[in-house]
Amino acid sequence: KAGVTQTPRYLIKTRGQQVTLSCSPISGHRSVSWYQQTPGQGLQFLFEYFSETQRNKGNFPGRFSGRQFSNSRSEMNVSTLELGDSALYLCASSLGGESFNEQFFGPGTRLTVL
Amino acid sequence: KNEVEQSPQNLTAQEGEFITINCSYSVGISALHWLQQHPGGGIVSLFMLSSGKKKHGRLIATINIQEKHSSLHITASHPRDSAVYICAVVRRTSGSRLTFGEGTQLTVNP
């Protein structure tokens, strides 16, 4: 079974631009969660999507948004990029459903904002 | 105070040593993850546990729900075990979202 894939792996943008990151979950997984990792703040939860609906949201500004498609693939978008948005963005997939399931992480997208 | 605290923050060991990393948390949880992150960023889930003990090869994870404490043990450590080890909890009230500790940087010297 293929693992979680994320594209692109590396990205360089400038302040004010917007960016879209993509995550393809493990086949059969219906939940996708997104996390941001920075040296200063560590790993922080952004949001979770399950069956095309946002089920949970972290404490990030509205510039951070996401969506999930019917095939469970997910995208996250960051608008009006700031220098502080430079980070490793990780997605993780799980079976989803009512009870908590183990999450499997993708390789991440490293975003640099200049 | 962070909801998830790990100790130590940094750990250097000689090959073959027995290693313990500790994780304490202050909230009610549904489950606890131990994660491994190598340079370059990819994260691998080592264990998910909600009670007792799990073993996989040279790795052992234990959790004490009453004391809100978990440990990750590595027996016969090897330089390839060098990585950041992260404890993450699923709070009982937060669905699937993970809350992370700050990580423990482990270096195993040959």
Side-chain angles (χ1 to χ4, degrees), chain A residues 37 56-57 100 102-103 105, chain B residues 37 45 48 90 94 96:
Chain A
Q37 186 177 34
N56 218 329
K57 190 178 189 305
F100 178 73
E102 187 171 7
Q103 295 189 30
F105 287 80
Chain B
Q37 186 173 33
S45 175
M48 184 185 75
V90 183
S94 67
S96 298

Side-chain angles (χ1 to χ4, degrees), chain B:
Chain B
K1 191 176 189 287
N2 292 338
E3 292 180 343
V4 182
E5 299 271 355
Q6 282 184 240
S7 63
Q9 287 189 331
N10 294 283
L11 183 56
T12 300
Q14 288 300 122
E15 184 172 357
E17 286 185 359
F18 180 84
I19 287 161
T20 296
I21 300 170
N22 295 299
C23 175
S24 296
Y25 52 92
S26 56
V27 294
I29 69 169
S30 303
L32 182 145
H33 266 284
W34 280 103
L35 308 170
Q36 180 192 56
Q37 186 173 33
H38 280 281
I43 289 180
V44 174
S45 175
L46 299 173
F47 296 102
M48 184 185 75
L49 63 167
S50 54
S51 65
K53 176 180 176 178
K54 286 191 176 180
K55 184 176 190 292
H56 184 250
R58 296 180 294 105
L59 302 177
I60 303 166
T62 63
I63 188 168
N64 185 318
I65 295 292
Q66 286 73 32
E67 295 193 0
K68 292 187 164 67
H69 182 268
S70 176
S71 293
L72 176 68
H73 306 285
I74 305 175
T75 61
S77 60
H78 190 275
R80 66 174 173 264
D81 297 326
S82 298
V84 176
Y85 292 83
I86 303 167
C87 170
V89 303
V90 183
R91 290 187 290 172
R92 215 177 284 132
T93 56
S94 67
S96 298
R97 65 186 287 175
L98 293 173
T99 301
F100 300 87
E102 293 182 353
T104 296
Q105 173 69 62
L106 170 66
T107 303
V108 182
N109 294 318

Side-chain angles (χ1 to χ4, degrees), chain A residues 42-101:
Chain A
L43 275 157
Q44 294 183 285
F45 172 79
L46 280 156
F47 27 65
E48 182 207 359
Y49 286 87
F50 176 74
S51 291
E52 301 179 65
T53 302
Q54 188 181 84
R55 188 160 70 170
N56 218 329
K57 190 178 189 305
N59 296 324
F60 279 80
R63 300 184 297 106
F64 292 81
S65 63
R67 59 178 174 166
Q68 187 179 34
F69 302 95
S70 58
N71 61 357
S72 295
R73 189 178 70 87
S74 177
E75 289 180 348
M76 68 162 280
N77 184 276
V78 188
S79 62
T80 319
L81 284 165
E82 301 176 359
L83 294 179
D85 298 332
S86 294
L88 180 67
Y89 290 89
L90 292 149
C91 79
S93 78
S94 66
L95 288 169
E98 291 300 317
S99 60
F100 178 73
N101 302 113

